[in-house]
Amino acid sequence: MHDLIENGTLWTLKEVGTDSEQIRQNETLFSLSNGHIGTRGSLEERHRTQSYSHSGSTLMNGFYDTEPITYGEWAYGYATHHQTTIPIPDAKKMDLSLGDERFDLETGKVDHHSRTLDLKKGLLTRTFSWENSKQQSINVTIERFVSYDFPEILAQRITIESEADELPVQLTFELDELKDMGKEESAEDDPDPRKKEQAERRFDSRPLSTDSGRMIHISTHASDLHAVIYDHVVSQPELVSLERVENKVTASFQTDKSAPVVIDRFTAYSHKYSNEEDTGSHAENLKEIMSEVEMLGYDEVKDRHLSFMDDFWKVSDIKLEGDQALQIGLRFNLFHLHQAAGRDGHTNMSAKGLTGEGYEGHYFWDTEMYMFPFFLYTQPEIAKSLLMYRHSILPQARERARTMAIENGALFAWRTINGEEASPYYPAGTAQIHINADIAHAVYDYGKVSEDEAFMFNEGLDILVETARFWLEWGHFDDERNGAFVLNDVTGPDEYTAIVNNNFYTNLMAKKNLSYAIEYVQKALKQETDKLDELHVTEDELENWKQAESRMFLPYDEEKELTMQDDSFFHKKVWDFEHTPKDNYPLLLNYHPLTIYKHQVCKQADTVLAEFLFFDDFSMDQLIRDYDYYEKVTTHDSSLSRSVFGMMASQIDKHKKAYDYFMDTALMDISDLQSNTKDGVHAANMGGTWMSIVQGFAGMRFNDGTLYFTPHCPKEWSRLSFKVQVKDRLIQVSLTPSSTEYTLLEGEPITIVENGEQIQL
Amino acid sequence: MHDLIENGTLWTLKEVGTDSEQIRQNETLFSLSNGHIGTRGSLEERHRTQSYSHSGSTLMNGFYDTEPITYGEWAYGYATHHQTTIPIPDAKKMDLSLGDERFDLETGKVDHHSRTLDLKKGLLTRTFSWENSKQQSINVTIERFVSYDFPEILAQRITIESEADELPVQLTFELDELKDMGKEESAEDDPDPRKKEQAERRFDSRPLSTDSGRMIHISTHASDLHAVIYDHVVSQPELVSLERVENKVTASFQTDKSAPVVIDRFTAYSHKYSNEEDTGSHAENLKEIMSEVEMLGYDEVKDRHLSFMDDFWKVSDIKLEGDQALQIGLRFNLFHLHQAAGRDGHTNMSAKGLTGEGYEGHYFWDTEMYMFPFFLYTQPEIAKSLLMYRHSILPQARERARTMAIENGALFAWRTINGEEASPYYPAGTAQIHINADIAHAVYDYGKVSEDEAFMFNEGLDILVETARFWLEWGHFDDERNGAFVLNDVTGPDEYTAIVNNNFYTNLMAKKNLSYAIEYVQKALKQETDKLDELHVTEDELENWKQAESRMFLPYDEEKELTMQDDSFFHKKVWDFEHTPKDNYPLLLNYHPLTIYKHQVCKQADTVLAEFLFFDDFSMDQLIRDYDYYEKVTTHDSSLSRSVFGMMASQIDKHKKAYDYFMDTALMDISDLQSNTKDGVHAANMGGTWMSIVQGFAGMRFNDGTLYFTPHCPKEWSRLSFKVQVKDRLIQVSLTPSSTEYTLLEGEPITIVENGEQIQL
């Protein structure tokens, strides 16, 4: 039983005690977010040392600063600027004093210290009792939530009780503007390319006038982004005197054993904006929100948040019987996945959500290929807003394609926030052009599952057409291969094999991308929409797509009867796993890229991912042969790997493997499997756990408008159930090792297929 | 006729007038060097603007500073530090005053201004007359040379004449310590990766006590290299009063129409050293050299320099009749080639020699493959010292191999000064592992041509064995190719095609490298030297080399009957040359690396170079087919390309092409063909011109101890003659379009082969 999980609980993670290591570690796990703002699970009080905190930052989705990328040697078309999501003023900080003693864990006599993350409610609650050197003691409860109902609002309630009267208590609230911010590790101390510590405060701030509380305007140093933050403290005036001195609000009162003292703190974070002149209206807007929030009061604001959480769990929960820890682990993953998603059409999901600064807060293909399916089948409106973000950066993607000497079409940035390429290492960045097809794939699936024609024939078509165009120019018809369409000098998902020709995953996804574009352009032609004129799609172009689609080269080794990851993969020497010390993993931190590239060794699922996505296009024998081969040469150094191998294992009847991979996946962050959870959760892997249940164990696939299931519930569990939304139906699926049950909860009757047999719901 | 070339001259380049553009341009062409120190052909006087100078720097071979390389994204095994040859205190600067007016070209009334570079003598002479505003005028001559006889010495003689008596003249001499050094262009202004402007002064200096003149100690900021510089002015005391104030020596005198006033300046630059405590001994050494120089006097020091130059030209000159400009161009190239070579066994030849700061003063494969042959066949002792440098960096090369996970053997740095890899872009750096074979090839040729067994069975064997070992570990026997030995993820000479499998040039050179090692190890076994025990060469290892050598994979397209540059070259799309604007060359400055890599387009000779080096291994038909194919897809964006295509053209009877390529090659710097001569001469291309004459037009090849010739003297010339030293013979070769003449000038009789027929000399 994991130490955060108590017997009997199914919805909570509870940390007991004051062990600094544990508190540091849980800072990530206890992060709260609503897709707009996120704040890490750090403690409220100041400590002399860093020992209780890795980084207590508060982040805003899409609020980043830029700095020029320095290269040892420049080349044309390199990404020009880093984009880095930056910590913004943090509203969790407060000082608590009893008499003339200030509270902290390093010096205070503290009892019954615990923090509880309630996944069902989306609440983080901290309680403890503190006795000062005069044997005066108080009990403290601090509750924190980030509102889904008011996306701008971080709410905190502090409750102080005592068995003694008239103990003088003081609470000082501050908006931490990070003036004294220093980085814990410098880039030189830890050159791990997967993370980037903040070197310094990256914004300027100035106070804005308010009748009450404290309001500031912040603007980034280089990217010229702006935001307004409004920090407001409320309490019972008859008991507590609130005094504002400079940046601090001090609440003073005396304890009363008959009644606890309650102080509420609301902090509103505006949405980001890029025109300083808009500051006034954003400030006004926050004032209105704040007055509404104050008028409603903490309890009502909290109730609305709870009911929002209820609605979320109603459609999104996965119930698993037979393994309590795993049940909680699953919910923990869904909870964070839900927290991570931008919902405004201008933001997306960073690889770490808003739980940490790893990967600089960039958006990757992770969104479409690992996180998107969860939203697509449970909250399609969020799925749509994620695609709207991609549509919003089409201009930058077109520009990027031009830089790559592609005259028509668009190339989405491999890693970005603002749409511009931010990867300083093109062999594992720009070369991963498969991101174009990944996005097109998500667009297509969204169209099929949601039947949102309005989107598909506008934004959807823009994306499908511009990505299809890209393939025609990047690749060519290779006379050396009887005119097959080839894609050279690309990098597939497996970043341990870079700059190769005809990566199977990339080529297959490009083929699908072309077929998606063809299908929707033909539909649009029938509809006589003028969208096609707007996009200048001609008959000739359509014909070229058809040629490329039908003649797409898919590398296959006839002799071995194996799918080839790329043209030359089998010509590489197999990595000497036997003599590779355990400490040398992940390989990317211990071997030169060329050393890795010239071997058969995979960081993650590549061919196996392609085959899982289009499972029905392959024979079972083929799937098994390829799986057996590629599993042997895959290190799973990427967190995107295990879930895919697990899902495929389940579908090719390797049930033991399926279960083992899944258990690694599901508990990756709670057990810090990759030892870097402190930098943030692995959001894609969390999406992978949902996929593992629904598309792995339940074997759900959606082809040509029909839902297919090939369920295999691990014998380790007694029951597994979840819900999916498809074509306006809400369907509940329950699995046991021996049976399956499908229930239509909402919507018109529908026919599904289980193991080849039709079932009418 | 080029404007530096006067009718009738065969040995001089003469610049007439004061056009600032021309003076700037010629700063590189008029550089003087002796392989130890080099000083650019800048003017002596100060000017208000930069317009007369690009960079007047003085450089010392191997005297560099380091700075950490910054990467946008770090990866294991990346080169850690830039190494940059830095300008050191310049002893050319002097102020000339007549009355109270200071001389410069911007304000002065100057007549008959000319500068002459005498290639035969290695002298740069400047003359002009200057009239000040009082109509007082003087005639000035400044002669400059860098002594070969005293490698530490830069010597200058200033002669002042006048038709008037008692004009007050002042000359102030200064050792320019670059205190106010600023960079002309910042890296951002000009991101061209091929050059790197100096941002600031990179050394500290302190005065050392001397009885006369000025002596300073300089030490680099980061690399901890040291040198001593001793600047000394000599004149006729009865005529000239020398006064020393702080750092300046001022010579004052009055003109005397009956006799010119002569002032000599000697500046001694010690060799670099890395232990500050050695400063004393280096200072003493310079004092001794200086007193000898002073004792001998300018004329004698100059005479010794001239006789050294005589000896050089006696063996190294190429006489060409029928094209005066070309004759001078050839001599200009040989002159600079000779100037560029380090001769102390601890330094090598930078891509720009000591004529400029382009390529940071790094040593590349250019040395062995383009410059080495000239020295090998004319001055073997210099060829040897160049190889001794490579031997001296074997420890760093072994270390580099370990970093690349190679447990045995060595990998020489692609670009370096101190032996450590300094290339910040590994796809066109570390991936060019062919440099190992290039060096081994030079070692082997040196052994054959010089018969220097002492070297071959010591330093030579070290290099052959360590490089051979490297190949065994980098490559492997590929079961997919019936056990052929393959080399994956390498970059060949053509940097427009990177990270490929089985680059033909690399594989062929590696095969030769192995055969060289096998041959000399077997010889050593017979000799029962204990060198082999020292190197731990076992029978098994030897057997592995034999296997790899005999089974080396050489990519060939049976259907096309073409040699494949690499496994996938023919699968790339041919670059659209037709629609590429002229301004978009060189491509590397206008297209993203991936755009270039995914096309069939070559920066330079690659397969054609391999075939030229081992001409007799291929059928004439094959050579012609390959040449015709690769010429069509080669841009010659590298200065290493044209000479190779020209040589091959001559040998496959494409005589028009051979001539045209040669004319581009031979006059590349004088005519600034690549528009970057201001950054320094293209030393490799200068080596290419020698090779073009000797190995191209004369078709000289040295195989198995025999000299072969297949001469084709262009009809444009009436006569061509040169000398080569082989196996202790000095042989003169004279070609006319219709005849050839071979003369044994020194040594035992020898048999050579011309067009298959033996000739006894």
Side-chain angles (χ1 to χ4, degrees), chain A residues 548-575:
Chain A
E549 191 279 333
S550 63
R551 290 152 69 186
M552 181 68 68
F553 182 73
L554 298 173
Y556 185 77
D557 184 320
E558 298 293 346
E559 203 177 291
K560 288 188 160 61
E561 295 187 294
L562 286 174
T563 305
M564 286 157 57
Q565 182 170 309
D566 60 71
D567 283 354
S568 62
F569 191 76
F570 291 154
H571 286 299
K572 306 286 178 81
K573 188 177 183 179
V574 175
W575 186 270

Coordinates of all heavy atoms in Angstrom, one line a residue, chain A residues 548-575:
Chain A
A548 N -0.5 9.9 -53.9 CA 0.5 9.8 -52.8 C -0.1 8.8 -51.8 O 0.6 7.9 -51.2 CB 0.8 11.1 -52.2
E549 N -1.4 8.9 -51.5 CA -2.0 8.1 -50.5 C -1.9 6.6 -50.9 O -1.5 5.8 -50.1 CB -3.5 8.5 -50.3 CG -4.2 7.9 -49.1 CD -4.7 6.5 -49.3 OE1 -5.0 6.1 -50.5 OE2 -4.8 5.7 -48.4
S550 N -2.3 6.4 -52.1 CA -2.4 5.0 -52.6 C -1.0 4.4 -52.8 O -0.8 3.2 -52.7 CB -3.2 4.8 -53.9 OG -2.5 5.5 -54.9
R551 N 0.0 5.2 -53.1 CA 1.4 4.7 -53.4 C 2.3 5.0 -52.2 O 3.5 4.8 -52.4 CB 1.9 5.3 -54.7 CG 1.1 4.8 -55.9 CD 1.1 5.8 -57.0 NE 2.4 5.9 -57.6 CZ 2.7 6.8 -58.6 NH1 1.7 7.7 -59.0 NH2 3.9 7.0 -59.0
M552 N 1.8 5.3 -51.0 CA 2.7 5.6 -49.9 C 3.5 4.3 -49.6 O 3.0 3.2 -49.5 CB 1.8 5.9 -48.7 CG 2.6 6.3 -47.4 SD 3.5 7.8 -47.5 CE 2.2 9.0 -47.6
F553 N 4.8 4.5 -49.4 CA 5.7 3.4 -49.2 C 5.7 3.1 -47.7 O 5.9 3.9 -46.8 CB 7.1 3.8 -49.6 CG 8.1 2.7 -49.4 CD1 8.1 1.6 -50.2 CD2 9.0 2.8 -48.3 CE1 9.1 0.6 -50.0 CE2 10.0 1.7 -48.1 CZ 10.0 0.6 -49.0
L554 N 5.4 1.8 -47.4 CA 5.4 1.3 -46.0 C 6.5 0.2 -45.9 O 6.3 -0.9 -46.4 CB 4.0 0.8 -45.6 CG 2.9 1.8 -45.7 CD1 1.5 1.2 -45.5 CD2 3.1 2.9 -44.7
P555 N 7.6 0.5 -45.2 CA 8.7 -0.4 -45.3 C 8.4 -1.8 -44.6 O 7.9 -1.8 -43.4 CB 9.8 0.3 -44.5 CG 9.1 1.4 -43.7 CD 7.9 1.7 -44.4
Y556 N 8.7 -2.9 -45.3 CA 8.4 -4.2 -44.7 C 9.5 -5.1 -45.2 O 9.9 -5.1 -46.3 CB 7.0 -4.7 -45.2 CG 6.6 -6.0 -44.6 CD1 6.1 -6.0 -43.3 CD2 6.7 -7.2 -45.4 CE1 5.7 -7.2 -42.8 CE2 6.3 -8.4 -44.8 CZ 5.8 -8.4 -43.5 OH 5.4 -9.6 -43.0
D557 N 9.9 -6.0 -44.3 CA 10.9 -7.0 -44.6 C 10.3 -8.3 -44.9 O 9.9 -9.0 -44.0 CB 11.9 -7.1 -43.4 CG 13.1 -8.0 -43.7 OD1 12.9 -9.1 -44.3 OD2 14.2 -7.7 -43.3
E558 N 10.2 -8.7 -46.2 CA 9.5 -9.9 -46.6 C 10.1 -11.1 -46.0 O 9.4 -12.0 -45.6 CB 9.5 -10.0 -48.1 CG 8.8 -8.9 -48.9 CD 7.3 -8.9 -48.6 OE1 6.8 -9.9 -48.1 OE2 6.7 -7.8 -49.0
E559 N 11.4 -11.1 -45.9 CA 12.1 -12.3 -45.4 C 11.8 -12.6 -43.9 O 11.4 -13.6 -43.5 CB 13.6 -12.2 -45.7 CG 14.3 -13.5 -45.8 CD 15.8 -13.2 -46.1 OE1 16.1 -12.8 -47.3 OE2 16.7 -13.4 -45.2
K560 N 12.0 -11.5 -43.1 CA 11.8 -11.6 -41.7 C 10.3 -11.6 -41.4 O 9.9 -11.9 -40.3 CB 12.4 -10.4 -41.0 CG 13.9 -10.4 -40.9 CD 14.3 -9.2 -40.0 CE 15.7 -9.3 -39.4 NZ 16.7 -9.3 -40.4
E561 N 9.5 -11.2 -42.4 CA 8.0 -11.0 -42.1 C 7.8 -10.0 -41.0 O 7.0 -10.2 -40.1 CB 7.3 -12.3 -41.9 CG 7.3 -13.2 -43.0 CD 6.5 -14.5 -42.8 OE1 6.9 -15.2 -41.9 OE2 5.4 -14.6 -43.4
L562 N 8.7 -8.9 -41.0 CA 8.5 -7.9 -40.0 C 8.3 -6.5 -40.6 O 8.9 -6.3 -41.7 CB 9.8 -7.9 -39.1 CG 10.1 -9.0 -38.1 CD1 11.4 -8.8 -37.5 CD2 9.0 -9.0 -37.1
T563 N 7.5 -5.7 -39.9 CA 7.4 -4.3 -40.4 C 8.7 -3.6 -40.0 O 9.3 -3.8 -38.9 CB 6.3 -3.7 -39.6 OG1 5.1 -4.4 -39.9 CG2 6.1 -2.2 -40.1
M564 N 9.3 -2.8 -40.9 CA 10.5 -2.1 -40.6 C 10.3 -0.7 -40.0 O 9.5 0.0 -40.6 CB 11.3 -2.0 -41.9 CG 12.0 -3.3 -42.4 SD 12.3 -3.3 -44.1 CE 13.4 -1.9 -44.3
Q565 N 10.9 -0.4 -38.9 CA 10.6 0.9 -38.3 C 11.0 2.0 -39.3 O 10.4 3.1 -39.4 CB 11.4 1.1 -37.0 CG 11.2 2.4 -36.3 CD 11.8 2.4 -34.9 OE1 11.5 1.6 -34.1 NE2 12.5 3.5 -34.7
D566 N 12.0 1.7 -40.1 CA 12.4 2.6 -41.2 C 13.3 1.9 -42.2 O 13.6 0.7 -41.9 CB 13.1 3.9 -40.7 CG 14.4 3.5 -40.0 OD1 15.4 3.1 -40.7 OD2 14.5 3.6 -38.7
D567 N 13.7 2.5 -43.3 CA 14.4 1.8 -44.3 C 15.6 1.0 -43.8 O 16.0 0.0 -44.3 CB 14.9 2.8 -45.4 CG 13.8 3.2 -46.3 OD1 12.7 2.6 -46.2 OD2 14.0 4.1 -47.2
S568 N 16.3 1.6 -42.8 CA 17.6 1.1 -42.5 C 17.6 0.5 -41.0 O 18.7 0.0 -40.6 CB 18.7 2.1 -42.6 OG 18.4 3.2 -41.7
F569 N 16.5 0.4 -40.4 CA 16.5 0.0 -39.0 C 17.2 -1.4 -38.8 O 18.0 -1.5 -37.9 CB 15.1 0.0 -38.4 CG 15.0 -0.2 -36.9 CD1 15.3 0.9 -36.1 CD2 14.7 -1.4 -36.3 CE1 15.3 0.7 -34.7 CE2 14.7 -1.6 -35.0 CZ 14.9 -0.5 -34.1
F570 N 16.9 -2.3 -39.6 CA 17.4 -3.7 -39.5 C 18.9 -3.7 -39.9 O 19.5 -4.8 -39.6 CB 16.6 -4.7 -40.2 CG 15.2 -4.9 -39.7 CD1 14.2 -5.3 -40.5 CD2 14.9 -4.6 -38.3 CE1 12.9 -5.5 -40.0 CE2 13.7 -4.8 -37.8 CZ 12.6 -5.2 -38.6
H571 N 19.4 -2.7 -40.5 CA 20.8 -2.7 -40.8 C 21.7 -2.1 -39.7 O 22.9 -2.1 -39.8 CB 21.1 -1.9 -42.1 CG 20.6 -2.6 -43.3 ND1 21.1 -3.7 -43.7 CD2 19.7 -2.2 -44.2 CE1 20.6 -4.1 -44.8 NE2 19.7 -3.2 -45.2
K572 N 21.0 -1.7 -38.6 CA 21.8 -1.2 -37.5 C 22.1 -2.4 -36.6 O 21.4 -3.4 -36.6 CB 20.9 -0.1 -36.7 CG 20.4 1.0 -37.5 CD 21.4 2.0 -37.9 CE 20.9 3.1 -38.8 NZ 20.2 4.2 -38.0
K573 N 23.2 -2.2 -35.8 CA 23.6 -3.2 -34.9 C 22.6 -3.1 -33.6 O 22.3 -2.0 -33.2 CB 25.0 -2.9 -34.4 CG 25.7 -3.9 -33.6 CD 27.1 -3.5 -33.3 CE 27.9 -4.5 -32.5 NZ 29.3 -4.0 -32.3
V574 N 22.2 -4.3 -33.1 CA 21.3 -4.3 -32.0 C 22.1 -3.8 -30.7 O 23.3 -4.2 -30.5 CB 20.8 -5.7 -31.7 CG1 20.0 -5.8 -30.4 CG2 19.9 -6.2 -32.9
W575 N 21.5 -2.9 -30.0 CA 22.2 -2.4 -28.8 C 22.6 -3.5 -27.8 O 21.8 -4.5 -27.7 CB 21.2 -1.4 -28.1 CG 21.9 -0.7 -26.9 CD1 21.9 -1.2 -25.6 CD2 22.6 0.5 -26.9 NE1 22.6 -0.2 -24.8 CE2 23.0 0.8 -25.6 CE3 22.9 1.4 -28.0 CZ2 23.7 2.0 -25.3 CZ3 23.6 2.6 -27.6 CH2 24.0 2.8 -26.3

